[in-house]
């Protein structure tokens, strides 16, 4: 049996699965195996002794002519070089085409080139599989992009109208806060906003009101640290004419002004104990009397309070009423510090630069990547308010549309010694820096007067003398 194979190698050639054509130097077919017949539909009898390029290789896949002198099989017969060819087609007898890969190998006898052999295989199934795989990968890519777009859309939906509100960011901790705002804004529940100075507690309060059913009514703010204890009650509850020196006419308090709307008690921890008890009554009964008056007034208001202090510790220290604490702490919202959401800094800067452009008449386009990295490397003890001040300073100094940081960010930069300042100028800068850190609170334990070691009246006097006033 082995001798039969050796004596007649055509038995092997006829058994292989690839198509095989043999050519003489004139380009005529001298051998066609059964696999070639099956793939092309042309029989050996129809092709032997003929130039078969015109039968199976006459055109490209797009139907354009394929000249014989360009045929890679024929080229091998002329120059004796082996060739591997991909991405061509052979044509069947029925006029259809199929994709092929083939090799064209020269045949030598006694060192003389006598012809060539072309071995080819049908790769249509392989191409279909490859095309299907490419289509699947393209579909996966499309779905991935669609999923990303949908995620961005959902984030945008969750953040709808937030850009104009000033509440911007994509960090998880910030998004959770937005979800809480969205949920509680639909109710009349009392909200306690907790967070460090400069984190944007008032902004949260204003957006709670904006999203509520009371949004067409008044939003009234009271900074509980901005008034002396004697004046605070008059501010909150109003007063009757002659109720105290200087009360020349009856005046409505903030509670009356906020009727049907929202009352925002900023720095609620600074309320004196006596005022706390009166506030508790309003929260419980929705009624009060003006200072110096006897008529009971009823109001329909929603209370939002904010503080940067730990009220529970104050309760334990006897500085804050426990019953008022529980009345205010119905739905607490924690505003994250900027150091907890540094990934939001680029979005915050973009929003703040828009505001700065309007206020300063600038045409700033944004920050450099280096500046953003520097901002994100800093811990921001003054939070967003400090970030706003840094950007505004750089905006004033910048002559380019893209902001850079003119000096390293270090805690206490604002208080660095400048030997060119007069004593009054240095004192003024220091007072402003402390006031900014205290959110411009003057009175109270967390107020600027206490931190500066001055009586409140003395600090107010110095502020008047040095022309220190809060700018927006």
């Amino acid at each position: 049996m082995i001798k039969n194979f050796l004596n007649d190698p055509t038995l092997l050639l006829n058994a292989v699965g690839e198509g095989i054509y043999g050519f003489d130097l004139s380009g005529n077919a001298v051998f066609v195996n059964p696999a070639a017949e099956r793939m092309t539909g042309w029989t050996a009898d129809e092709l032997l002794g003929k130039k078969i390029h015109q039968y199976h290789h006459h055109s490209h896949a797009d139907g354009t002519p394929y000249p014989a002198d360009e045929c890679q099989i024929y080229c091998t017969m002329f120059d004796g070089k082996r060739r591997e060819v991909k991405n061509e087609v052979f044509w069947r007898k029925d006029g259809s085409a199929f994709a092929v890969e083939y090799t064209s190998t020269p045949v030598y006898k006694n060192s003389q080139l006598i012809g060539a052999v072309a071995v080819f295989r049908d790769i249509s199934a392989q191409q279909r599989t490859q095309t299907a795989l490419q289509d699947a990968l393209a579909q996966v890519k499309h779905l991935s992009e669609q999923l990303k777009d949908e995620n961005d859309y959902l984030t945008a939906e969750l953040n709808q109208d937030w850009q104009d509100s000033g509440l911007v960011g994509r960090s998880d901790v910030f998004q959770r806060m937005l979800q809480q705002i969205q949920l509680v804004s639909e109710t009349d529940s009392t909200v306690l906003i907790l967070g460090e100075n400069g984190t944007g507690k008032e902004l949260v309060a204003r957006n709670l009101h904006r999203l509520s059913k009371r949004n067409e009514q008044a939003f009234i703010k009271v900074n509980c640290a901005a008034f002396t204890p004697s004046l605070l009650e008059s501010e909150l509850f109003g007063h009757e004419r002659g109720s105290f020196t200087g009360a020349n006419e009856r005046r409505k308090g903030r509670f009356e002004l906020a009727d049907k709307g929202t009352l925002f008690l900023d720095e609620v921890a600074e309320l004196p104990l006596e005022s706390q008890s009166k506030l508790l009554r309003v929260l419980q009964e929705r009624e009060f009397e003006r200072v110096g008056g006897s008529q009971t007034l009823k109001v329909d208001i929603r209370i939002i309070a904010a503080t940067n202090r730990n009220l529970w510790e104050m309760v334990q220290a006897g500085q804050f009423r426990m019953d008022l604490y529980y009345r205010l702490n119905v739905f607490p919202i924690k505003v994250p510090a900027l150091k907890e959401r540094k990934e939001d800094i680029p979005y915050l800067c973009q929003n703040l630069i828009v505001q700065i452009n309007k206020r300063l008449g600038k045409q700033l386009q944004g920050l450099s990547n280096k500046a953003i990295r520097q901002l994100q490397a800093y811990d921001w003890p003054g939070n967003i308010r400090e970030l706003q001040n840094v950007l505004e300073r750089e905006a004033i100094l910048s002559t380019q549309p893209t902001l850079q940081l003119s000096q390293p960010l270090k805690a206490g930069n604002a208080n660095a010694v400048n030997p060119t300042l007069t004593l009054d100028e240095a004192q003024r800068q220091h007072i402003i820096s402390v006031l900014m850190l205290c959110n411009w609170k003057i009175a109270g334990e967390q107020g600027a007067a206490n931190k500066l070691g001055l009586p409140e009246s003395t600090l107010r006097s110095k502020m008047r003398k040095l022309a220190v006033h809060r700018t927006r």
Side-chain angles (χ1 to χ4, degrees):
M1 181 65 71
I2 294 176
K3 284 185 178 182
N4 288 338
F5 279 123
L6 294 175
N7 293 335
D8 191 2
T10 58
L11 292 175
L12 293 173
L13 297 177
N14 287 334
V16 298
E18 285 83 4
I20 301 176
Y21 286 143
F23 302 92
D24 61 20
L25 287 180
S26 298
N28 298 317
V30 296
F31 178 78
V32 178
N33 77 338
E37 291 180 311
R38 286 193 302 272
M39 281 188 270
T40 66
W42 299 101
T43 65
D45 291 339
E46 293 174 303
L47 299 179
L48 291 174
K50 298 177 181 178
K51 291 181 170 54
I52 64 174
H53 177 82
Q54 61 185 313
Y55 292 91
H56 76 93
H57 211 191
H58 50 77
S59 304
H60 292 289
D62 60 3
T64 57
Y66 196 157
D69 58 358
E70 296 178 6
C71 175
Q72 297 301 300
I73 300 172
Y74 281 16
C75 287
T76 295
M77 290 183 283
F78 295 130
D79 61 19
K81 294 180 180 179
R82 184 178 185 278
R83 289 172 169 81
E84 292 185 6
V85 181
K86 298 180 179 179
N87 300 320
E88 286 195 0
V89 297
F90 281 180
W91 294 84
R92 299 185 182 96
K93 185 177 181 178
D94 63 8
S96 62
F98 61 97
V100 293
E101 288 181 351
Y102 65 86
T103 58
S104 177
T105 306
V107 177
Y108 289 89
K109 184 176 182 180
N110 299 324
S111 301
Q112 293 292 319
L113 180 66
I114 62 171
V117 172
V119 180
F120 64 93
R121 64 190 183 94
D122 185 347
I123 61 170
S124 301
Q126 177 183 330
Q127 280 194 345
R128 285 194 297 269
T129 301
Q130 186 174 3
T131 300
L133 178 60
Q134 290 173 342
D135 290 344
L137 290 174
Q139 181 69 2
V140 169
K141 182 180 179 182
H142 171 72
L143 290 174
S144 177
E145 291 174 350
Q146 183 179 4
L147 185 62
K148 180 181 181 300
D149 290 342
E150 288 175 357
N151 185 58
D152 290 343
Y153 173 76
L154 289 174
T155 299
E157 282 292 292
L158 183 62
N159 266 330
Q160 62 179 345
D161 297 331
W162 289 121
Q163 284 289 338
D164 292 335
S165 74
L167 292 176
V168 290
R170 296 188 180 182
S171 62
D172 290 341
V173 65
F174 185 75
Q175 290 297 320
R176 286 195 294 271
M177 185 194 74
L178 291 187
Q179 290 174 334
Q180 288 182 307
I181 293 173
Q182 200 87 45
L183 288 171
V184 77
S185 65
E186 301 171 1
T187 74
D188 269 344
S189 296
T190 300
V191 177
L192 179 61
I193 305 172
L194 306 168
E196 297 177 7
N197 280 332
T199 51
K201 297 188 291 297
E202 181 177 341
L203 207 52
V204 170
R206 290 187 179 277
N207 280 281
L208 281 168
H209 174 73
R210 182 178 64 89
L211 296 172
S212 74
K213 61 186 178 183
R214 298 174 180 266
N215 60 0
E216 295 183 358
Q217 305 301 321
F219 175 86
I220 303 298
K221 174 189 172 183
V222 180
N223 189 331
C224 300
F227 302 99
T228 62
S230 58
L231 288 177
L232 182 60
E233 287 188 30
S234 174
E235 286 293 325
L236 290 176
F237 308 118
H239 60 256
E240 296 290 345
R241 180 179 179 181
S243 58
F244 55 86
T245 303
N248 298 320
E249 58 184 16
R250 187 177 71 178
R251 181 184 177 189
K252 289 184 177 181
R254 305 295 176 93
F255 276 95
E256 282 185 81
L257 295 175
D259 191 26
K260 303 294 190 297
T262 301
L263 181 68
F264 175 47
L265 299 174
D266 197 11
E267 304 302 340
V268 71
E270 306 305 321
L271 278 173
L273 285 170
E274 185 179 353
S275 299
Q276 290 178 26
S277 62
K278 292 187 177 182
L279 174 60
L280 180 62
R281 179 190 170 195
V282 179
L283 292 178
Q284 291 174 331
E285 309 295 338
R286 293 297 193 266
E287 61 182 33
F288 62 94
E289 290 86 31
R290 297 192 189 102
V291 175
S294 57
Q295 181 185 0
T296 299
L297 303 173
K298 290 187 175 291
V299 288
D300 173 18
I301 58 174
R302 189 214 191 147
I303 298 290
I304 299 176
T307 182
N308 65 335
R309 300 180 64 183
N310 188 320
L311 287 185
W312 181 244
E313 288 183 357
M314 293 182 65
V315 169
Q316 293 176 314
Q319 299 170 342
F320 202 84
R321 292 182 60 112
M322 181 179 290
D323 44 9
L324 177 58
Y325 168 78
Y326 284 119
R327 281 287 179 179
L328 293 175
N329 198 40
V330 175
F331 193 92
I333 292 179
K334 174 70 165 61
V335 184
L338 187 52
K339 64 185 177 184
E340 299 173 30
R341 44 181 294 231
K342 289 185 178 181
E343 61 265 49
D344 291 338
I345 285 178
Y347 309 109
L348 286 165
C349 289
Q350 183 180 0
N351 186 268
L352 291 171
I353 286 173
V354 170
Q355 299 173 27
I356 291 171
N357 281 339
K358 291 178 181 177
R359 189 164 61 252
L360 301 183
K362 292 272 189 173
Q363 299 293 326
L364 301 171
Q365 297 175 2
L367 287 95
S368 68
N369 291 333
K370 179 181 178 182
I372 289 175
R373 289 194 298 270
Q374 288 175 300
L375 294 176
Q376 290 180 319
Y378 183 56
D379 274 344
W380 300 104
N383 293 294
I384 298 174
R385 186 179 298 113
E386 185 182 4
L387 174 63
Q388 183 177 7
N389 292 340
V390 168
L391 293 179
E392 186 164 341
R393 180 194 69 211
E394 297 298 342
I396 294 170
L397 295 173
S398 178
T399 58
Q400 302 296 325
T402 301
L403 288 183
Q404 307 282 349
L405 294 190
S406 60
Q407 63 185 47
L409 289 168
K410 294 179 182 177
N413 262 355
N415 296 327
V417 175
N418 184 347
T420 66
L421 297 179
T422 66
L423 179 60
D424 280 352
E425 288 171 337
Q427 196 174 35
R428 184 177 186 274
Q429 280 196 4
H430 183 59
I431 289 174
I432 290 174
S433 298
V434 175
L435 282 166
M436 288 173 61
L437 288 175
C438 296
N439 194 21
W440 289 84
K441 290 185 300 179
I442 296 174
E445 183 180 340
Q446 298 298 314
N450 185 53
K451 291 185 180 296
L452 290 167
L454 297 173
E456 178 192 339
S457 58
T458 302
L459 176 56
R460 291 185 185 277
S461 176
K462 284 183 176 291
M463 289 172 64
R464 287 193 294 270
K465 177 185 175 183
L466 299 172
V468 174
H469 52 85
R470 184 172 187 174
T471 57
R472 297 249 178 212

